[in-house]
Amino acid sequence: SYRFDDFDGLIQQATQPIFSMGSRQIPCPRLSASFGINYNAPAVNQSLSSEIPSLLQPFVHACEELYPDYLFNQALVTLYRGASDYIGFHSDAGDPLVVASFTIYDKPEAICRIFKLKTKPHVNPKRSVDLELTPTKMIIMEGVQFQRNVVHALEKGKDNSKRINVTIRAFKTKP
């Protein structure tokens, strides 16, 4: 079991990502730090941009137990600083084979956030699912087709609790 404070060292490395939408540069309403391969170009660059820290290795091992044939080589630690930090609907870049997500809240009485999934416009039938992100829940998004057919989001919170999300990705199978 992890405490929110266990992640202080990793969060100090976090920056605010900037997204390009046409000619506009938009700051993302959250902070994140990436480890392992370069997430922005995983298919092109399989070299490590940095090692996955030892604190995150148990999350990697949990993924490897479920998917022993996959190489989990990218980790993202995201800090949602309060109710107004969120991420809108999107798909993960680079066609990951498996994406696993874990949640840690700053206080036990935090109101759990809702993780939303919905099919993209080209997919029929239309479906949507809302999942409560409890601290013990691991969410798995499996398969390249998942990212091609489904978008996901984390809406704004109902209280000012802080939340850390640990995302572990595999972009290829083991040799």
Side-chain angles (χ1 to χ4, degrees):
S1 176
Y2 289 93
R3 294 184 344 262
F4 190 85
D5 295 342
D6 294 339
F7 291 84
D8 282 347
L10 297 181
I11 291 304
Q12 289 176 10
Q13 299 175 51
T15 59
Q16 187 167 25
I18 304 292
F19 290 105
S20 296
M21 294 187 79
S23 61
R24 296 178 28 204
Q25 300 289 307
I26 301 169
C28 185
R30 60 194 174 109
L31 300 177
S32 61
S34 182
F35 307 95
I37 66 166
N38 182 349
Y39 172 62
N40 293 320
V44 177
N45 181 4
Q46 285 286 325
S47 62
L48 293 179
S49 55
S50 66
E51 292 292 324
I52 296 177
S54 60
L55 179 65
L56 302 179
Q57 289 301 323
F59 298 100
V60 172
H61 295 310
C63 294
E64 290 171 337
E65 285 181 21
L66 291 172
Y67 299 93
D69 295 335
Y70 292 101
L71 178 62
F72 289 90
N73 54 2
Q74 201 279 328
L76 183 71
V77 176
T78 305
L79 172 63
Y80 294 87
R81 298 164 291 190
S84 61
D85 279 10
Y86 70 99
I87 184 69
F89 279 103
H90 69 286
S91 294
D92 288 6
D95 287 339
L97 299 172
V98 178
V99 178
S101 184
F102 307 83
T103 300
I104 298 105
Y105 290 96
D106 67 336
K107 51 191 172 193
E109 67 276 7
I111 297 172
C112 294
R113 293 278 192 107
I114 303 298
F115 185 76
K116 296 182 160 288
L117 299 156
K118 69 179 182 180
T119 52
K120 289 184 178 181
H122 70 274
V123 176
N124 284 307
K126 301 293 180 226
R127 294 188 180 146
S128 64
V129 175
D130 290 354
L131 301 170
E132 188 176 57
L133 293 179
T134 59
T136 58
K137 191 172 282 183
M138 175 171 73
I139 293 180
I140 302 280
M141 295 182 282
E142 182 180 359
V144 170
Q145 292 305 315
F146 185 94
Q147 297 298 331
R148 292 181 183 168
N149 294 317
V150 178
V151 290
H152 56 280
L154 181 75
E155 61 186 18
K156 291 183 179 182
K158 297 188 183 345
D159 70 357
N160 217 22
S161 298
K162 294 178 184 173
R163 175 182 165 276
I164 289 173
N165 187 73
V166 175
T167 303
I168 307 296
R169 293 182 179 92
F171 289 98
K172 63 182 185 176
T173 56
K174 290 181 179 174

